[in-house]
Amino acid sequence: MDVAKLNEVAKKLVAPGKGILAADESVATATKKLEKAGVPSTEESRRDYRQMLLTTPGLGEYISGVILFDETIRQKTAGGRSFVDVLTAAGILPGIKVDQGTKEMEGSPEEKVTKGLEGLPERLAEYAKMGAKFAKWRAVITIGEFAGRRIPTDANIRKNAKDLAAYAKMAQEAGLVPIVEPEVLMDGANTMAVCAEVSTRVLTALFKELKNAGVAIEGIVLKTNMAVPGKLSGEKATPAQVAEATLAVFNAVLPKELLGQAFLSGGQNDVEATANLDAMNSKPQPWKLTFSYGRALQDAPLKAWVGKPENIPAAQSALLKRAKMNSLATLGKYQRE
Ligand code: 13P
């Protein structure tokens, strides 16, 4: 395992003023997204959509890496260039989602565990050969109540932490920087304080398992949620309050060797996700705090594009704007739009 090389790639991913574009929706998720925008989902329309995003002129100024899905990493632009080549030429690192979605946890079906460890070393080796420099695995933690007990259970947190650690070790052995993503969902009726408490349990378990598995912490990027009130809670929190609650969790549990954390947007609207990130960066922090947004970067360009070639320039400029706003937020220099 070449820790120095992994560390170098991790540093590039969280470089000042840069963040990650998550464009790794599975076929099912991409289909939902496209159909909601009135675009029929076919292999070709998904390719056209990703081509629009990834060929945005100037994207490399704000975006350090793009997470691709298996279908996309194998696709080419209409002009015949592989997406890996397009990104590499733009100075952007290509990455790949390697989990295979979630399934119900045995004995606690309201909770999820992530699929994809079987055969993972072979898949990682293939992606590395195709030019991927980093990987991503997402674990999902649900807050709520089931059969009279509160979830997440410790068993669910431990299982997801162990699987994330096993994945991270395999990714590092294959020469890929693992993005380690435990996502505490923000769609429940819980308060921000409960989100912070659950996030603390999840991250504590995660770093224990990463260390047990021999993962080089300086060669990973964490991707986790902000501490926010659940969507159904009715509670509102300002960016300063979200930053305070989130940073309290991080200060309690994140190790110093960790280079950076790239937030998921998790259903926040795009301006909110930018403002919250900016608030986190209003003071220097021990880790680089950046973005790895899917919806908060893609919603605006998708709405502008709606599958029409004549809308590509407007859609690309919508993406570039969100990328630039989030770049400013990584530096604590964002001005509310
Ligand atoms: P969102 O920013 O839409 O939450 O997506 C990020 C991601 O990659 C989730 O796995």
Side-chain angles (χ1 to χ4, degrees):
M1 193 162 91
D2 188 343
V3 178
K5 216 165 140 198
L6 293 166
N7 181 255
E8 202 180 300
V9 170
K11 265 190 187 143
K12 283 188 187 160
L13 285 171
V14 299
K18 289 196 179 181
I20 299 165
L21 165 63
D24 59 329
E25 298 82 4
S26 64
V27 170
T29 306
T31 297
K32 259 192 244 156
K33 245 172 128 123
L34 289 172
E35 286 179 350
K36 204 169 148 217
V39 183
S41 176
T42 63
E43 200 176 326
E44 197 184 346
S45 72
R46 292 190 293 275
R47 192 279 308 270
D48 290 346
Y49 175 57
R50 265 71 182 246
Q51 177 173 330
M52 180 277 289
L53 296 174
L54 305 185
T55 58
T56 296
L59 195 63
E61 199 179 324
Y62 311 117
I63 298 293
S64 55
V66 175
I67 317 171
L68 302 169
F69 182 63
D70 180 75
E71 178 182 71
T72 324
I73 200 169
R74 299 175 193 282
Q75 284 177 323
K76 291 183 167 56
T77 64
R81 286 179 84 196
S82 78
F83 284 126
V84 169
D85 285 351
V86 168
L87 292 174
T88 307
I92 299 172
L93 298 170
I96 181 76
K97 169 194 177 82
V98 299
D99 67 72
Q100 296 180 321
T102 59
K103 62 176 186 187
E104 291 175 359
M105 184 165 100
E106 244 181 75
S108 185
E110 291 296 295
E111 300 188 282
K112 301 282 183 282
V113 294
T114 302
K115 299 180 287 185
L117 282 179
E118 217 183 291
L120 184 56
E122 291 74 22
R123 289 192 293 123
L124 288 164
E126 188 193 6
Y127 292 135
K129 225 166 131 189
M130 291 168 86
K133 300 293 180 224
F134 67 100
K136 173 192 125 170
W137 176 286
R138 174 175 178 253
V140 175
I141 307 289
T142 310
I143 300 180
E145 221 174 86
F146 180 65
R149 58 176 186 175
R150 284 181 66 191
I151 58 171
T153 56
D154 286 336
N156 180 254
I157 289 177
R158 202 175 325 116
K159 169 73 179 152
N160 275 306
K162 273 190 191 300
D163 288 355
L164 276 164
Y167 139 78
K169 182 70 179 167
M170 289 179 206
Q172 289 191 332
E173 278 168 354
L176 299 178
V177 168
I179 292 196
V180 178
E181 181 181 5
E183 173 173 2
V184 177
L185 295 176
M186 49 182 77
D187 47 14
N190 56 281
T191 60
M192 180 163 75
V194 167
C195 179
E197 176 210 312
V198 170
S199 302
T200 303
R201 284 168 63 202
V202 167
L203 293 172
T204 303
L206 175 64
F207 282 96
K208 183 173 158 217
E209 296 299 340
L210 287 170
K211 283 182 184 163
N212 283 348
V215 172
I217 301 297
E218 61 274 42
I220 72 164
V221 172
L222 179 66
K223 170 166 177 166
T224 196
N225 53 283
M226 299 179 187
V228 289
K231 276 252 159 77
L232 302 176
S233 68
E235 185 185 344
K236 292 273 170 276
T238 63
Q241 289 167 329
V242 169
E244 192 190 345
T246 306
L247 293 171
V249 173
F250 288 180
N251 281 310
V253 290
L254 298 192
K256 293 286 172 278
E257 315 89 89
L258 179 71
L259 280 170
Q261 138 69 12
F263 289 101
L264 56 97
S265 60
Q268 302 174 50
N269 76 43
D270 48 15
V271 169
E272 198 183 354
T274 309
N276 287 340
L277 177 62
D278 183 67
M280 306 279 176
N281 285 306
S282 65
K283 281 194 236 97
Q285 300 298 335
W287 322 272
K288 295 276 181 295
L289 298 178
T290 185
F291 57 94
S292 176
Y293 292 160
R295 284 161 283 183
L297 283 170
Q298 291 186 47
D299 285 356
L302 177 57
K303 215 166 137 194
W305 179 62
V306 293
K308 299 204 168 103
E310 64 271 27
N311 293 338
I312 290 173
Q316 291 183 330
S317 92
L319 172 62
L320 201 64
K321 179 179 174 194
R322 294 276 24 109
K324 182 177 178 182
M325 294 299 115
N326 285 303
S327 161
L328 289 168
T330 68
L331 306 168
K333 289 183 176 163
Y334 166 71
Q335 306 277 338
R336 192 93 191 203
E337 297 144 81

